[in-house]
Amino acid sequence: MAEDGATGAENQSSSDELGRTGGKLTFWLIEEALRSGGEVLDRQEKYFDAKRAQATSMLGWFVSITTAITFAAVSANKIAVGACIAALSTISCCCCVCVLMPKDWRYKQLHPRQNLEAEETSEKDYKYVCSLGLQIAIDHNVKILQKIDRVLNYAWSIFCIIPILGLFFYFIFS
């Protein structure tokens, strides 16, 4: 009898060492996927908001600096140089505006109708489908964030070469 009790204790301790197993492990993994998926979407949303704030700031600076440089070039009778600088800056500004335009962004929250019209027959199945939905949202948002990064890099690159091209145009049209 003592032997059986020892074996039971050994099984209990080995079960504790393994953590959840079987169906309990599957349910735990699904809940972890929901938790981590929500955290990833929260981070993506913060990054998205930061990039939109960056685009707003860049747009303000680009418009201000370009206006000053363009008017300086035009007042010095270098209209062609001013027009070239304004045209290049317009491209940078359009990139910033593109970032600020509404996007098909995916959030972690479901609409009440989605919850009420769920067709899953168990909590486990429902949470599994929700975790798959979070992964789809994450993948979708990654594509949007990559486009935003690319467009903002174009805006910076174009704006940074404006002084060089401005001097080039100045010597061409002088």
Side-chain angles (χ1 to χ4, degrees):
M1 253 314 171
E3 233 176 73
D4 288 339
T7 306
E10 287 174 10
N11 286 339
Q12 180 63 31
S13 66
S14 67
S15 174
D16 290 342
E17 290 173 9
L18 294 176
R20 293 179 173 98
T21 58
K24 289 181 179 180
L25 173 64
T26 303
F27 194 70
W28 179 80
L29 289 172
I30 292 169
E31 287 181 330
E32 280 298 302
L34 280 172
R35 185 190 57 73
S36 64
E39 290 174 1
V40 170
L41 284 169
D42 285 342
R43 284 193 308 272
Q44 282 183 331
E45 191 171 347
K46 287 178 183 174
Y47 187 79
F48 179 64
D49 290 342
K51 287 298 179 178
R52 290 174 60 93
Q54 180 184 3
T56 302
S57 176
M58 289 167 60
L59 183 60
W61 280 103
F62 291 174
V63 169
S64 300
I65 292 170
T66 301
T67 301
I69 293 172
T70 302
F71 279 121
V74 169
S75 66
N77 290 328
K78 302 295 180 188
I79 295 172
V81 174
C84 292
I85 290 171
L88 289 170
S89 180
T90 300
I91 296 169
S92 292
C93 290
C94 287
C95 289
C96 293
V97 169
C98 179
V99 169
L100 295 173
M101 297 299 290
K103 305 281 183 270
D104 182 25
W105 188 257
R106 306 287 166 88
Y107 298 93
K108 70 178 178 180
Q109 292 83 8
L110 295 175
H111 294 280
R113 182 180 300 144
Q114 290 173 299
N115 286 320
L116 295 173
E117 294 176 355
E119 296 178 5
E120 290 70 36
T121 57
S122 70
E123 178 184 4
K124 178 182 170 185
D125 291 343
Y126 177 76
K127 287 185 174 186
Y128 179 75
V129 168
C130 287
S131 64
L132 291 176
L134 291 178
Q135 184 60 55
I136 291 168
I138 289 167
D139 295 342
H140 177 80
N141 292 348
V142 162
K143 292 176 186 172
I144 291 173
L145 292 173
Q146 288 172 340
K147 288 178 186 175
I148 286 173
D149 283 339
R150 191 169 39 254
V151 169
L152 286 178
N153 285 338
Y154 291 152
W156 271 120
S157 299
I158 292 168
F159 194 75
C160 288
I161 63 170
I162 286 176
I164 297 165
L165 292 176
L167 287 173
F168 179 71
F169 293 138
Y170 177 80
F171 290 119
I172 288 177
F173 295 117
S174 291

